[in-house]
């Protein structure tokens, strides 16, 4: 995981998104891939979305993608953007305004 406040770029270091998924700017342009492969996570997510079963995905990739890897891909699916390098864990996250200051002012 990234230290607090660390920002990532496509030219930055390899980022481990879990035990089975990495984002490395030197591999597939920084798109999340399964460790040790050039299999992009978005492809597997699309296969699942198109109705393939986990076992069909495993056969499709000849064992290079594991069930644990598929589970991890699903868990981080909100961070994966088709054809885009990994941008970071909090990209696009917006902080909600605090209600406490309003309550204190009243």
């Amino acid at each position: 995981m990234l230290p607090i406040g660390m920002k990532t770029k496509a030219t930055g270091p390899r980022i481990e998104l879990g035990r089975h998924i990495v984002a490395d700017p030197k591999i597939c342009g920084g798109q999340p891939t399964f460790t040790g492969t050039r299999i992009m996570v978005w492809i597997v997510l699309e296969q699942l979305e198109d109705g393939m079963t986990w076992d069909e995905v495993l056969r499709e990739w000849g064992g290079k993608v594991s069930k644990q890897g598929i589970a991890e891909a699903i868990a981080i699916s909100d961070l994966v953007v088709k054809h885009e390098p990994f941008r970071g864990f909090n990209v696009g996250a917006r902080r909600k305004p605090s209600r406490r200051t309003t309550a204190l002012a009243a």
Side-chain angles (χ1 to χ4, degrees), residues 21-104:
I21 299 173
V22 298
D24 188 331
K26 297 176 186 173
I27 300 171
C28 297
Q31 296 180 62
T33 58
F34 292 91
T35 305
T37 74
R38 292 184 175 271
I39 301 169
M40 291 170 276
V41 171
W42 68 263
I43 295 173
V44 170
L45 291 172
E46 275 194 355
Q47 290 175 325
L48 294 170
E49 190 174 280
D50 291 342
M52 288 180 76
T53 66
W54 286 31
D55 288 330
E56 289 171 331
V57 172
L58 295 174
R59 281 193 300 275
E60 175 78 17
W61 296 107
K64 293 180 182 177
V65 175
S66 66
K67 283 189 178 185
Q68 295 87 356
I70 293 172
E72 205 167 85
I74 293 168
I76 68 160
S77 63
D78 289 345
L79 301 173
V80 179
V81 179
K82 184 176 180 176
H83 301 299
E84 293 290 326
F86 178 71
R87 300 265 186 228
F89 291 101
N90 297 313
V91 172
R94 297 181 193 263
R95 186 174 168 178
K96 293 182 182 179
S98 173
R99 295 180 188 214
R100 183 180 171 133
T101 55
T102 306
L104 292 176

